[in-house]
Every structure is written in C-alpha cells, then in structure tokens.
Amino acid sequence: MATMAQAIRMALHYGETNLGVTDIFGEDVGPPLGGVFTATQGLTKTWNAPLDERGIVGAAIGLGLAGNRCVAEIQFCDYIYNTIDLLKIAGMQCWTSNGDWHLPMTIMTPVGSGIRGSIYHSHSFDATATHIPGFKIVMPSNPLDAYGLMLACLKEPNPTMFLKPKALLRIEGAEQIPGEPALTAEGKKQLKEMIDAPLGDRTKWKPRWPELTDYTVELGKAKVVRSGDHVTVVSYGRTLPICAQAAEALAGEGISVEVIDLRTLWPYDWEAISSSIRHTGRFLFVN
Amino acid sequence: MRRTVDELFYELEARPRLLAGAFVPGIGLADNLEMASVPQLGTITEALREIAHERA
C-alpha cells in the first residue's frame, strides 16, 4: 500500500543500488527534509542544491556528459520555465552528436493542480514538456506505475522527464510493488516504519529498505485500465483515476467506457489509442 | 486530438472532445476556483455521457 511518494523513493533507492544512479539533487532533496513531498527521504546519493533551477539543470547536464547518472529535481514545475533553454540543449545532445553522446539524466518535478497551490504551485507543464525535443516524458497515475516508470527512466540513455502529479503523491496503490510489504493495514504500517523518516530529529535515522526487485514499465506503452465498447477516454496523471470513476458510474447506465492511461506522454502510444478509437468510434481526451 | 481527427476521421461516430484545464495563469487558492479550473468527476462523466448518446 505504498503511496506514490514512497514508490518513487523506493524506485530511486533501487536506482542507487542497482542502476548506477550517482546523484539525486535539487532544492530540499537531500537531508534533513528529503523532498517537499518526502520522495527522496533516506537515500544515500541525495544532496541539496542552491535555489537555482538553471544551476540544477546545468549540473545535471554536466554530470550526465561526464558519465554519471543523475536525477535532478525542480521543486515545483512552476519554477522550471527559466530552464527551458538548458532543457532544449540537454534534449539536443544525442541528435547533434549523431548518436555519439548520450546524456543519461532524469528531471523530476511535481506538476498540476489538486492542492490549491495557486499561481506558483499549480502549473501544468505536461504540454510544454512534450514540445522539448529529445526528452521522453512520463507521468504515472498510481504508485506501481510510478515505480516502474522511474526505473524505465533510470535505464534510459538519454534525457527523461518524470512528472509527478502532486495531487496523487499521497494516494495509496491497489497493486503491490514487487518487494514491498503486504497490501494490508499491517503492511502499510510496516512500510511506514521502514522507510518514512520520523518527525523531529532524524539525524540518527536510517531506513530499512524492503527487498525490491526490478519492475520496469516500458516507455511509450499505454495501459488499458478498463475495457469498453461505446466510448474511449484517454488521460494520464491526476485525471486518470477520475476517468475510471466516471466509467464505473456510467456502467450502471449501460454505457461501456474504455479507459486508457497514457503513462508516457512522449512518445505516446498511438497504436493503443487508435486501436481503441477504431473499436469504439467515439473519444474524449482529458487532461 | 489533431492526429485522431487527421487519421481516424472517417472511423468516428461522434464529434471528438477534449476536456482540459482552463487557460488561466494559475489555479486559485479557493476551492471553488480550483474546481472550476480543471476537469472534475462531474464534467468528465457528463462529457462521456454526451458523447455516448450523440447520434452517429
């Protein structure tokens, strides 16, 4: 019953220990806070960056070109806009070097509405992100996909962007992440005791990580969350669970809705989308 | 959306729809502003119902 924040944390731990992640950094990413949404608590490769988003992205580019693999966080996507030029440069590396230089880096950032965050904590960066060439862009809608998509990003040789839907970071998953305690109240409590930093003084705290295993969600592959025949609805992130709820409600009225979770925004799974629309003949996109 | 209309136009039985956040500089702090700015359960359900009932 990991929350999405815990799932991301576990994926980053797996990345540190198995996938060669050398740096995880950003504002308040390192100790003592471990991330404003707790997604980087207890990790060993974390450090706090200065309040300088262009410095964060620039450092990620430099680390990647020097052979390291890093995860750089922009604390809220509202602050990412002044780094667009650097993101463009990062995305261009493989193309401009004709495939000679890869740049393994992941930018992660919370996006979207849902916490009444007003003008500096609610922006939606999804559409803009998908127009930066050279990046693969993902956004999970549940903890298991968050874990799997993060591992996919950490294995990717070129830049990726992991967009965290902030409205869902505290939502618990219905599917078990491989290795996490059982999906029971006791398992939830056990996981919290193992990997959540205590309130107050945490200088002596060390996490006890579960025996996590590899679970990778292939980039560019959508998921049919619910099969249906009458209408196709395609969504991702915060609005995906709401679409599933709507489909459930409409089933009672005899309307069969097929719900597709994009998971990867770029490159998106056109085969899944088009196949579904050919089947139903009717569609709605929600974002 | 564009690609769907471009490549699947003749396979469609109803007008395609996009339900997206309002084009405003930011979501307001107040609950009612948040609810009015981005798709909610009610608006999504209504849109799906409308599409399902639209005559081919």
Side-chain angles (χ1 to χ4, degrees):
Chain A
M1 269 195 189
T3 62
M4 192 180 287
Q6 289 173 322
I8 292 168
R9 203 186 307 152
M10 289 192 283
L12 290 172
H13 165 71
Y14 188 89
E16 290 181 326
T17 47
N18 297 283
L19 300 176
V21 171
T22 57
D23 295 83
I24 302 168
F25 61 100
E27 294 156 20
D28 300 312
V29 164
L33 193 61
V36 288
F37 291 101
T38 75
T40 51
Q41 283 182 352
L43 301 170
T44 58
K45 308 286 188 209
T46 53
W47 47 275
N48 293 309
L51 219 160
D52 175 13
E53 282 75 23
R54 285 191 292 233
I56 290 168
V57 176
I61 293 171
L63 284 165
L65 287 175
N68 302 288
R69 176 175 286 281
C70 70
V71 179
E73 177 170 273
I74 300 297
Q75 195 169 74
F76 286 89
C77 75
D78 312 55
Y79 316 146
I80 206 169
Y81 290 89
N82 70 29
T83 73
I84 292 284
D85 191 36
L86 289 167
L87 294 174
K88 183 195 75 187
I89 287 168
M92 277 183 346
Q93 291 308 305
C94 186
W95 171 267
T96 54
S97 67
N98 196 28
D100 276 350
W101 301 342
H102 294 286
L103 182 42
M105 61 181 257
T106 298
I107 302 286
M108 74 176 173
T109 186
V111 298
S113 65
I115 63 166
R116 281 68 172 150
S118 195
I119 60 173
Y120 281 117
H121 299 81
S122 290
H123 272 87
S124 171
F125 187 59
D126 334 335
T128 310
T130 60
H131 285 79
I132 303 174
F135 271 85
K136 294 186 174 67
I137 315 287
V138 302
M139 189 188 300
S141 67
N142 59 77
L144 180 61
D145 279 349
Y147 183 85
L149 286 170
M150 180 58 82
L151 294 199
C153 286
L154 297 178
K155 293 177 183 177
E156 179 63 25
N158 285 303
T160 52
M161 204 174 293
F162 187 98
L163 303 180
K164 303 189 271 190
K166 62 175 82 74
L168 299 182
L169 285 174
R170 305 229 185 283
I171 301 295
E172 290 165 5
E175 294 167 288
Q176 192 172 18
I177 292 166
E180 75 158 309
L183 294 180
T184 58
E186 183 54 40
K188 174 181 163 183
K189 184 167 172 248
Q190 196 183 349
L191 184 65
K192 183 177 168 57
E193 284 164 3
M194 290 170 83
I195 68 170
D196 281 7
L199 296 173
D201 181 18
R202 44 179 73 162
T203 48
K204 295 184 176 51
W205 173 72
K206 291 256 183 282
R208 290 178 297 114
W209 297 102
E211 292 295 322
L212 300 162
T213 57
D214 190 1
Y215 175 83
T216 305
V217 172
E218 189 183 342
L219 295 178
K221 282 286 176 219
K223 181 179 178 183
V224 178
V225 169
R226 184 187 181 106
S227 294
D229 302 305
H230 299 151
V231 189
T232 298
V233 62
V234 180
S235 190
Y236 55 85
R238 181 191 79 90
T239 46
L240 192 282
I242 306 177
C243 291
Q245 273 183 274
E248 180 66 29
L250 289 168
E253 296 174 28
I255 298 173
S256 167
V257 179
E258 181 145 290
V259 182
I260 295 179
D261 185 352
L262 271 188
R263 304 198 293 188
T264 302
L265 307 191
W266 186 269
Y268 58 86
D269 191 346
W270 175 240
E271 197 180 313
I273 297 170
S274 57
S275 165
S276 178
I277 292 173
R278 282 196 177 92
H279 175 65
T280 64
R282 296 161 191 260
F283 77 89
L284 171 69
F285 287 128
V286 181
N287 67 8
Chain B
M1 182 84 159
R2 181 212 57 78
R3 191 173 179 183
T4 302
V5 172
D6 202 346
E7 296 184 26
L8 301 174
F9 184 79
Y10 295 108
E11 318 220 24
L12 297 177
E13 294 183 5
R15 179 172 61 89
R17 311 281 205 285
L18 167 67
L19 209 53
F23 190 53
V24 293
I27 303 285
L29 281 169
D31 247 11
N32 56 343
L33 292 178
E34 165 107 19
M35 299 302 273
S37 302
V38 289
Q40 305 293 340
L41 179 60
T43 50
I44 294 171
T45 308
E46 190 48 41
L48 285 168
R49 192 181 283 121
E50 215 177 87
I51 296 168
H53 289 311
E54 188 170 305
R55 283 196 183 177

